Amino acid sequence: MSKKNVAVIPGDGIGPEVIGATLKVLEKVAPNTFEFHEVAMGGNAIDKYGEPLPAESLKICQNAEATLLGAVGGPKWDNQPPEKRPERGLLGVRSGLEVFANIRPAKIFAPLASACPLRKDIAEKGIDFIIVRELTGGIYFGKHEAFKTPEGERAARDVMEYSEHEIRRIAHVAFKMAMGRRKIVTSIDKANILTSSRLWREIVEEVAKEYPEVKLNHLYVDNASMQLIRVPSEFDVIVTENTFGDILSDEASQIIGSIGMIPSASLGEGNRGLYEPIHGSAPDIAGQNKANPIGTILCGAMMLRYSFNMNAEADKIENAVDEVLKAGLRTPDIYTEGTKLITGSQMRDEIISRL
Ligand code: NAD
């Protein structure tokens, strides 16, 4: 059987450390299954090729079934002109892969419950939901305009626009995801005010008819931001448009604690996906063996689940992470008194030994 083709972008700073750990985990959980193609992108690509995303790099990602990305950027490239900045490579790869659904899980690992800033009785009920955010439409991609009113006053407008197919395809992603979970979808909008939200609600309800086992709830975004803090345990899959999702997913990442622990996936048509931790290249700790590889290792698990349908192997990785945390082992970013401090590579090895 031919191996599964995965593009790998280690990137800059701690990127190569956390990606290196993830490739070892994947090789252990599914030996001889993947063919990894390493690709230059970000600051290292600027140094080598004079541009953040060489055409050849993007081509390799487009030909792959999945792309794993560490992180890019760092002070060395901060003074580059905008088109030569590492982040430009990031946007280029996201748009080049045509990924329209951003998936961010918000799950609290029981041994890290003390990192949750919410009241103990709320956190103890468990937090395990997923935000499915529309990534390529809405106000960020609508018409942006600065103009003068007839009275000569400065004014500006940004247009929020969604078409039926954009809403329909993201709704399907959410409902399919809910089918493999607790079967609850919460669609978040502002349908009491926005016409685009009323269309959003109408289409989501149409799509829901194809998934009769899934319970659909609607919430206005202002109320949703409160309920995420008040009763986070009640959420399973949240689906929402680009801007609302941007804000709510940052709120969710704070609810569950450390930045080094959180993976994300961006999905397009079919099984193609881009998997990256939510953290950056952390230049302050790069090369010191302090980086927590868990966020990226969990990206590996998401890749197995969403691009390759290898749910048993994904479960194994997530359980191994859980066990390491239960054993009290901690990289510096999640260390608390009474736990055991270990390095990034020790964390990698401890996870691998539990697979
Ligand atoms: P950052 O996420 O890199 O770091 C913020 C803080 O969190 C730092 O103190 C860092 O040490 C810590 N941290 C981050 N990941 C960690 C991990 N895995 N383990 C332990 N600690 C971790 O954000 P920043 O400092 O604002 O940005 C640094 C660089 O990364 C910038 O050049 C920025 O543009 C870039 N960046 C890239 C991405 C990406 O590639 N997706 C995302 C955000 C920022």
Side-chain angles (χ1 to χ4, degrees), residues 14 18 69-75 78 85 87 90 94 259-260 276-285 290-293 333:
I14 63 168
V18 293
L69 164 63
V72 298
D78 276 353
R85 287 181 60 103
E87 294 78 7
L90 209 52
R94 285 178 188 155
I259 191 172
E276 49 183 320
I278 68 158
H279 63 73
S281 60
D284 53 333
I285 56 165
K290 285 182 181 166
N292 186 347
D333 57 313

Side-chain angles (χ1 to χ4, degrees), residues 214-263:
V214 178
K215 181 171 175 1
L216 170 65
N217 300 317
H218 297 284
L219 277 184
Y220 296 138
V221 62
D222 42 350
N223 186 17
S225 69
M226 293 193 289
Q227 301 309 327
L228 276 176
I229 287 171
R230 208 178 66 83
V231 284
S233 60
E234 291 187 5
F235 291 94
D236 180 22
V237 175
I238 287 171
V239 62
T240 190
E241 66 86 41
N242 202 344
T243 313
F244 299 160
D246 192 5
I247 297 166
L248 294 177
S249 54
D250 270 16
E251 181 185 353
S253 72
Q254 280 310 297
I255 290 174
I256 65 158
S258 169
I259 191 172
M261 302 278 303
I262 308 176

